[in-house]
Amino acid sequence: MAGSVNKVILIGHLGRDPDIRTTQDGRKIASLSLATSESWRDRNSGERKERTEWHRIVIFSEPLAKVAEQFLKKGAKVYIEGQLQTRKYQGNDGQDRYTTEVVLNGFNATLQMLDGNGGNRPPPADDPGSYGRDTSRDTPRDIPSRNDLDDDIPF
Amino acid sequence: MAGSVNKVILIGHLGRDPDIRTTQDGRKIASLSLATSESWRDRNSGERKERTEWHRIVIFSEPLAKVAEQFLKKGAKVYIEGQLQTRKYQGNDGQDRYTTEVVLNGFNATLQMLDGNGGNRPPPADDPGSYGRDTSRDTPRDIPSRNDLDDDIPF
Amino acid sequence: MAGSVNKVILIGHLGRDPDIRTTQDGRKIASLSLATSESWRDRNSGERKERTEWHRIVIFSEPLAKVAEQFLKKGAKVYIEGQLQTRKYQGNDGQDRYTTEVVLNGFNATLQMLDGNGGNRPPPADDPGSYGRDTSRDTPRDIPSRNDLDDDIPF
Amino acid sequence: MAGSVNKVILIGHLGRDPDIRTTQDGRKIASLSLATSESWRDRNSGERKERTEWHRIVIFSEPLAKVAEQFLKKGAKVYIEGQLQTRKYQGNDGQDRYTTEVVLNGFNATLQMLDGNGGNRPPPADDPGSYGRDTSRDTPRDIPSRNDLDDDIPF
DNA sequence: TTTT
DNA sequence: TTTT
């Protein structure tokens, strides 16, 4: 479609260590569970409210997946730029289900660490601290089909 | 949480006319089905590929919902800024399911028409053409609980 | 710096045809003059106000520069994603001056046409209508130094 | 203009303590000097390059200006969402000059602290840590005219 | 499941 | 200098 944009920008913390998988043809894929929260004061009661949202992040970009593997850990604060994708999968009961993910496929994706050491682990000697855009895979053709994944459980 | 960001930016076309509902306490809520597409040339085959993604947009901001109701129609091209929210609902089989939506709640939300007349309808005399940020409802407290909605089907 | 982001997102109209220049080593660079406007009703007087902002866009990404050259024209509506850069130049009086530009250098840049024909010109037979991210030049090293430009007037 | 967007998203560090001024009618305005950096490896030489960009941030939104005054300090890491504005001023030589700023005017603006304590100062007892969108001033009418400022030097 |  |  002419002039389409699909962009997600998130800043939040990882709820657990990155999950790293390998496709049948040897590429690494990282999945992150990212929390964003907002808090506000209720107009009526005056009490403090907080709402946490959990996001499923899937990193198909291999350089970014490797960064996630090496440098991110539970608790890490990150900036993420990706796009929304919803995919169908079969539930355990055989029925179709859908899940929406924030996909980083290198074409348009960014991952930035916002704390010094990517979580609660002491920083490695070669910790990049920051991280640029993946420039090695930059067209959508690089998105592995879901069939490449050797998992049978959606997430 | 300190320093959290949850932002979605989309430009696409409506797949159908906006769906307008009314909460039990009389507020209007609009739902949009928005398509974004990307196309690229396959690195190997050289053939042209296209992928369309459908997004469910829910407008809790009443001014923006009214704009949607009055001015948007199937085919309209829009710019949307909102945030990601995933909510649980009961499937027909009684099981928990989840759906992820792009929510415009006035606190952080934008809706802009990018074509002259909001779709394939001739423009009304008072067509605003553009549309600013909702400034009348600007805190999360304005988000109606899902229980306010008189629907029993998620979407 | 660890975790830095520099991003500009604009939707507006071109005030004139793109200006195309060629560097000494043969690369094309396009400059755009882009208007964004906002309108609102004054809280006190109740009258309608409008403010237009002009942005100087510089496209170092050669694929995007070619798209600008071929398909954009005065009046075209575009979506632009780039980054802020301020550079120093010598005024006619020999004094230092500064100008801030929105730079599209392929590393992080997007240009999307939002109207069918890129302005008031009838669309060419091969009008792409839309336009993807530049993926051929995707690191900052591709930014031509200003000395490459064969102009002596800043803009 | 129909469907216009003017948005800047920055993550960087403050180069100095915020500068707080007061308008003639008593409103606070904060100015920040914010650095963003990018680094990459040169394609030819293979050496590591870094480029730092300095941004002038002007916070007209009074709640956000107060947050800046109370909680930000040289070295603080912040997320900023604002819009581009270029204004004319008179140089010391009487000639017109222009400066481009990232303006946070409450209508569309966000300021988030990304480190615990807003810089190198120990966190105060009531440090908010994070900070929501200004919702008390949300229309452009709140932008003080530049004439309100009691400065005669642009920055 | 994170974080403040 | 654009656009509505």
Side-chain angles (χ1 to χ4, degrees):
Chain A
M1 182 199 309
S4 212
V5 171
N6 177 357
K7 180 173 289 293
V8 179
I9 291 173
L10 301 173
I11 295 178
H13 290 90
L14 300 197
R16 45 178 165 76
D17 289 352
D19 173 45
I20 311 294
R21 293 172 298 168
T22 304
T23 62
Q24 293 175 341
D25 60 334
R27 281 174 294 182
K28 288 196 169 171
I29 293 174
S31 295
L32 310 178
S33 185
L34 183 79
T36 56
S37 304
E38 53 184 336
S39 64
W40 68 97
R41 195 162 292 283
D42 186 86
R43 200 175 280 177
N44 302 315
S45 69
E47 56 187 333
R48 191 134 206 86
K49 303 272 192 168
E50 182 164 8
R51 177 191 167 90
T52 295
E53 193 69 36
W54 287 96
H55 309 272
R56 177 170 165 80
I57 316 294
V58 184
I59 309 179
F60 289 118
S61 154
E62 201 161 16
L64 294 179
K66 285 177 177 166
V67 166
E69 183 181 28
Q70 288 178 62
F71 301 112
L72 296 184
K73 206 161 168 61
K74 177 176 174 178
K77 186 170 203 163
V78 295
Y79 171 91
I80 273 180
E81 208 176 313
Q83 60 178 312
L84 280 179
Q85 283 185 18
T86 298
R87 65 184 170 88
K88 189 199 288 193
Y89 66 94
Q90 302 285 329
N92 295 330
D93 54 3
Q95 291 212 278
D96 288 345
R97 306 217 172 180
Y98 296 86
T99 182
T100 300
E101 300 163 320
V102 176
V103 170
L104 281 68
N105 57 22
F107 180 76
N108 222 340
T110 310
L111 172 63
Q112 300 263 10
M113 293 167 46
L114 295 178
D115 43 14
N117 63 1
N120 51 17
R121 188 176 43 174
D126 61 340
D127 188 333
S130 135
Y131 191 72
R133 180 176 298 268
D134 166 20
T135 57
S136 71
R137 303 184 157 275
D138 43 22
T139 66
R141 70 201 133 167
D142 289 309
I143 303 175
S145 93
R146 281 297 178 161
N147 297 335
D148 291 344
L149 300 179
D150 43 15
D151 59 338
D152 51 1
I153 300 171
F155 67 95
Chain B
M1 186 198 307
S4 212
V5 171
N6 176 355
K7 179 173 291 291
V8 179
I9 291 174
L10 301 173
I11 296 178
H13 289 93
L14 300 196
R16 46 180 167 73
D17 288 354
D19 175 45
I20 311 295
R21 293 172 297 169
T22 304
T23 62
Q24 293 175 343
D25 60 334
R27 282 175 293 184
K28 287 197 169 170
I29 293 173
S31 296
L32 311 179
S33 184
L34 183 79
T36 56
S37 306
E38 52 184 336
S39 65
W40 67 96
R41 196 163 292 282
D42 185 86
R43 201 175 279 176
N44 304 314
S45 69
E47 57 185 334
R48 192 132 204 86
K49 304 272 192 168
E50 182 163 6
R51 177 190 166 90
T52 295
E53 193 68 36
W54 287 96
H55 309 272
R56 177 169 165 81
I57 316 294
V58 184
I59 308 178
F60 289 118
S61 153
E62 201 161 17
L64 293 179
K66 284 178 178 166
V67 166
E69 181 180 30
Q70 290 178 63
F71 301 113
L72 297 184
K73 204 160 171 62
K74 178 179 175 178
K77 185 170 205 163
V78 295
Y79 171 92
I80 272 180
E81 208 177 313
Q83 60 179 311
L84 280 179
Q85 282 185 21
T86 298
R87 65 185 170 88
K88 190 199 290 192
Y89 66 94
Q90 302 285 328
N92 294 330
D93 54 4
Q95 292 212 278
D96 287 347
R97 306 213 173 184
Y98 296 85
T99 182
T100 300
E101 301 163 320
V102 177
V103 169
L104 281 68
N105 59 22
F107 181 75
N108 223 338
T110 311
L111 172 62
Q112 298 264 9
M113 293 169 46
L114 294 179
D115 44 13
N117 63 1
N120 51 18
R121 187 176 45 174
D126 61 341
D127 188 334
S130 135
Y131 191 72
R133 181 175 297 269
D134 168 19
T135 57
S136 70
R137 304 184 156 274
D138 44 20
T139 66
R141 70 201 133 165
D142 289 308
I143 303 175
S145 92
R146 283 296 179 160
N147 298 335
D148 291 342
L149 301 179
D150 42 16
D151 60 336
D152 51 359
I153 300 171
F155 67 96
Chain C
M1 183 197 310
S4 213
V5 171
N6 177 356
K7 181 174 287 293
V8 180
I9 291 172
L10 301 173
I11 295 178
H13 290 91
L14 301 196
R16 44 180 166 75
D17 288 352
D19 175 45
I20 311 294
R21 292 172 300 168
T22 304
T23 62
Q24 292 175 342
D25 60 334
R27 282 173 295 182
K28 287 196 168 172
I29 293 173
S31 295
L32 310 179
S33 185
L34 183 79
T36 56
S37 304
E38 52 184 337
S39 65
W40 67 96
R41 195 162 293 282
D42 186 87
R43 201 176 277 175
N44 303 315
S45 69
E47 57 186 333
R48 191 134 205 84
K49 302 274 191 167
E50 182 165 7
R51 176 190 167 90
T52 295
E53 193 68 35
W54 287 97
H55 310 272
R56 177 169 167 81
I57 316 294
V58 184
I59 308 178
F60 289 118
S61 153
E62 202 163 14
L64 294 179
K66 285 178 178 165
V67 165
E69 183 181 28
Q70 289 178 62
F71 301 113
L72 297 184
K73 206 161 170 63
K74 178 177 174 178
K77 185 170 204 164
V78 295
Y79 171 92
I80 273 179
E81 208 177 313
Q83 61 178 311
L84 280 180
Q85 282 185 20
T86 298
R87 65 183 170 87
K88 190 199 289 193
Y89 66 93
Q90 302 286 328
N92 294 330
D93 55 4
Q95 291 212 278
D96 288 345
R97 307 217 172 180
Y98 296 85
T99 182
T100 300
E101 300 163 320
V102 177
V103 170
L104 281 68
N105 60 21
F107 181 74
N108 222 338
T110 311
L111 172 62
Q112 299 264 11
M113 294 167 45
L114 294 179
D115 43 15
N117 62 2
N120 51 18
R121 187 175 44 173
D126 61 341
D127 188 335
S130 136
Y131 189 73
R133 180 175 298 267
D134 167 19
T135 57
S136 70
R137 306 183 155 275
D138 43 22
T139 67
R141 73 200 132 169
D142 289 309
I143 303 175
S145 92
R146 281 298 178 164
N147 297 334
D148 291 342
L149 301 179
D150 43 15
D151 59 339
D152 51 1
I153 299 171
F155 67 97
Chain D
M1 185 198 308
S4 212
V5 172
N6 176 356
K7 179 172 291 289
V8 179
I9 291 173
L10 301 172
I11 296 178
H13 290 93
L14 300 196
R16 46 180 166 75
D17 288 352
D19 174 46
I20 311 294
R21 292 173 298 169
T22 303
T23 63
Q24 293 176 343
D25 60 334
R27 282 174 293 183
K28 287 197 168 169
I29 293 173
S31 296
L32 311 178
S33 184
L34 183 80
T36 56
S37 304
E38 53 183 336
S39 65
W40 67 97
R41 196 163 291 282
D42 186 85
R43 201 175 280 177
N44 303 314
S45 69
E47 57 186 333
R48 190 133 206 85
K49 304 271 191 169
E50 182 163 5
R51 177 191 166 90
T52 295
E53 193 68 36
W54 286 96
H55 309 272
R56 179 171 164 80
I57 316 294
V58 184
I59 308 178
F60 290 118
S61 152
E62 202 161 17
L64 293 180
K66 284 178 178 166
V67 166
E69 182 181 30
Q70 290 178 63
F71 300 113
L72 296 184
K73 204 160 171 61
K74 178 179 175 178
K77 185 170 204 163
V78 295
Y79 170 92
I80 272 180
E81 207 177 313
Q83 60 178 311
L84 281 179
Q85 283 185 20
T86 298
R87 64 184 171 88
K88 190 198 289 191
Y89 65 93
Q90 302 286 327
N92 294 330
D93 55 5
Q95 291 210 277
D96 288 345
R97 305 212 173 185
Y98 296 85
T99 183
T100 300
E101 301 163 320
V102 176
V103 170
L104 280 70
N105 60 21
F107 181 75
N108 223 340
T110 311
L111 172 62
Q112 299 264 11
M113 294 169 47
L114 295 179
D115 44 13
N117 64 1
N120 51 17
R121 187 176 44 175
D126 61 340
D127 189 334
S130 136
Y131 191 73
R133 181 175 298 268
D134 167 20
T135 56
S136 71
R137 304 184 156 274
D138 43 21
T139 66
R141 69 201 136 165
D142 289 311
I143 303 175
S145 93
R146 283 296 179 162
N147 298 335
D148 291 343
L149 301 178
D150 42 17
D151 60 338
D152 52 359
I153 299 171
F155 68 96

